[in-house]
Amino acid sequence: ADHYDSVTVMFADLINFTQISSKMPPTQLIDLLSQVFLRFDQLAEKYQVEKIKTIGDAYMAISGAPIKCDNHAQRIAAMAVEMKLALREVSDKTGIQLNMRIGINSGPVVAGVIGSTKFSYDLWGDTVNVASRMEDTCLPDAIQVTESTQAILQDEYYFSERPQVNVKGKGIIRTYMLLDRK
């Protein structure tokens, strides 16, 4: 595993997917998730973002590792904005109302492959945990970022401030909703 001083981590999660999935056969559910994640994977490739994994209906990605880059936050932000559009397109195509929350944080991580079987590249550290909390506390159909990410992106994107968000393990912190590119 390697240490990276500055990366941006994103978590995206479909809202109420358990209720949606309970109303369809497993094959239709897998097809729906495949359509969504295929679009997200295409965006990851477009923005040179590393998909880390999917867990159920959640999608995790990073920029800045394993290949270092200076514009990691910009890549993730651009991808996140387009993910919302892609999800809307899948919803329109399938007739199934899909909504999601996206959480983003920037900072240091440890990343790499550990263990001796079923190798997979993964991330560890407070930056990862806080990115997950940004998704957990995000408003529906929104992109919530930390102050560290907002500071990197403030000249390129519009934000609305959320000054009092209760984040597990952090208490009350200021976050920002990423609205759109300037």
Side-chain angles (χ1 to χ4, degrees):
D2 296 312
H3 177 81
Y4 294 86
D5 292 327
S6 186
V7 302
T8 299
V9 178
M10 173 181 60
F11 284 88
D13 192 49
L14 297 173
I15 300 171
N16 296 325
F17 198 73
T18 302
Q19 288 111 333
I20 292 168
S21 64
S22 69
K23 299 173 184 162
M24 62 178 64
T27 53
Q28 186 182 0
L29 171 66
I30 296 303
D31 180 57
L32 179 61
L33 275 178
S34 290
Q35 288 183 60
V36 172
F37 290 156
L38 173 65
R39 296 296 302 277
F40 292 177
D41 288 348
Q42 291 167 341
L43 292 172
E45 186 174 329
K46 175 180 178 179
Y47 290 105
Q48 298 176 326
V49 165
E50 184 78 17
K51 171 184 165 182
I52 300 300
K53 59 186 158 188
T54 59
I55 303 170
D57 62 331
Y59 191 94
M60 179 185 182
I62 186 173
S63 183
I67 299 168
K68 293 181 181 182
C69 63
D70 292 331
N71 63 344
H72 49 82
Q74 289 83 354
R75 291 178 185 199
I76 290 282
M79 181 178 169
V81 169
E82 276 201 57
M83 286 170 71
K84 289 175 58 178
L85 299 173
L87 190 66
R88 193 173 309 129
E89 290 171 4
V90 172
S91 286
D92 291 347
K93 180 182 172 187
T94 62
I96 299 169
Q97 183 61 41
L98 298 171
N99 302 292
M100 71 178 167
R101 295 183 305 264
I102 299 174
I104 300 172
N105 186 28
S106 301
V109 299
V110 173
V113 178
I114 60 172
S116 60
T117 60
K118 299 225 177 194
F119 299 113
S120 69
Y121 189 77
D122 209 350
L123 313 173
W124 302 273
D126 191 56
T127 298
V128 178
N129 295 335
V130 173
S132 177
R133 300 290 183 252
M134 288 300 97
E135 182 274 313
D136 287 343
T137 59
C138 187
L139 300 173
D141 292 321
I143 303 167
Q144 181 168 249
V145 305
T146 58
E147 281 190 279
S148 61
T149 303
Q150 189 272 343
I152 297 169
L153 298 171
Q154 65 185 343
D155 294 335
E156 300 168 57
Y157 284 85
Y158 294 107
F159 295 90
S160 67
E161 184 179 342
R162 292 184 76 198
Q164 301 276 323
V165 177
N166 190 5
V167 175
K168 182 180 175 184
K170 295 291 177 185
I172 304 294
I173 66 169
R174 174 181 290 123
T175 69
Y176 296 85
M177 304 310 284
L178 186 149
L179 303 175
D180 205 353
R181 183 178 282 280
K182 287 185 176 180

